Amino acid sequence: MTDGMEERELMELASVSRNNAYSPYSGFRVGAALLTKSGKVFTGCNVENASYGATCCAERTAVYKAVSEGEREFVAIAIKGDSAGFTFPCGICRQVLMEFSPSLKIILSNGNQEIKTFTLYDLLPKAFESEIMSKKGDGDN
Ligand code: THU
C-alpha cells in the first residue's frame, strides 16, 4: 500500500492493539491500525466507560491519536473485532474518518483471517460534508 506496508501487516497491528481494549461493559474488544500518507501507523482500541455514551471506538482512538500528533492524511485503516464475522466501523466512526480521508481504504478481517476491503465512500456514500472538508480536495464524495 505505502512504504511496503501490506494489508495483512496493518491487520496484525490492529489485532495486537485489540489486546489493549478496555471493554468490561460489552466484553467486545476492537483494535484498529491507521496508516498515514507519510507511512506512520497509529493504533487504537475501544475504551469504554461506566457512562456508556462516553465510550470511544477503536477507530476514533486511532484517528484522534494521529491528529493529535499532527497527521491528517490517511491511506488505510485495518479493523479487527472479537466476532467471527467482519467488524464494520460504526456510523460515528465513518463520519469521523470522512472528515479527513473520503478515499480511505477500509480493511476488515473475520475470525478465519479472511480479508475484505472497501473504500470509506463505499461505506458512507452521500456523507454530510462541510465546505472546510471539500477544500482539502481529497476524493469526490
Ligand atoms: N466498537 C468499536 O470499537 N468499533 C466499531 O467499529 C464497533 C464498535 C466498540 C464500541 C464498544 O466498546 C464495543 O465495540 C461494543 O459496541
Side-chain angles (χ1 to χ4, degrees):
M1 282 183 295
T2 288
D3 293 342
M5 174 64 67
E6 298 298 331
E7 290 173 3
R8 286 196 181 275
E9 283 180 79
L10 199 61
M11 184 55 71
E12 180 56 26
L13 295 173
S15 281
V16 171
S17 184
R18 185 178 56 164
N19 293 328
N20 291 327
Y22 176 71
S23 54
Y25 301 100
S26 72
F28 189 77
R29 302 171 308 155
V30 185
L34 182 67
L35 177 64
T36 69
K37 202 171 173 184
S38 60
K40 291 183 200 158
V41 175
F42 291 84
T43 58
C45 62
N46 52 333
V47 182
E48 297 188 344
N49 192 273
S51 176
Y52 296 175
T55 291
C56 190
C57 291
E59 298 89 326
R60 274 177 287 146
T61 302
V63 170
Y64 296 152
K65 281 173 67 178
V67 173
S68 67
E69 296 290 329
E71 299 287 337
R72 295 182 184 175
E73 291 185 276
F74 308 126
V75 175
I77 188 168
I79 304 164
K80 182 79 177 178
D82 268 340
S83 61
F86 296 93
T87 298
F88 282 80
C90 81
I92 294 174
C93 289
R94 292 179 198 198
Q95 186 71 40
V96 168
L97 292 165
M98 181 63 73
E99 182 74 22
F100 298 102
S101 304
S103 55
L104 187 72
K105 185 174 188 179
I106 312 273
I107 304 163
L108 308 179
S109 163
N110 65 7
N112 291 331
Q113 321 307 329
E114 291 160 332
I115 293 225
K116 271 189 184 173
T117 65
F118 301 86
T119 69
L120 180 56
Y121 185 67
D122 290 332
L123 301 186
L124 193 62
K126 309 287 179 224
F128 175 74
E129 287 181 308
S130 74
E131 282 189 12
I132 289 168
M133 288 165 65
S134 56
K135 278 182 193 143
K136 291 193 296 105
D138 176 24
D140 53 2
N141 194 23

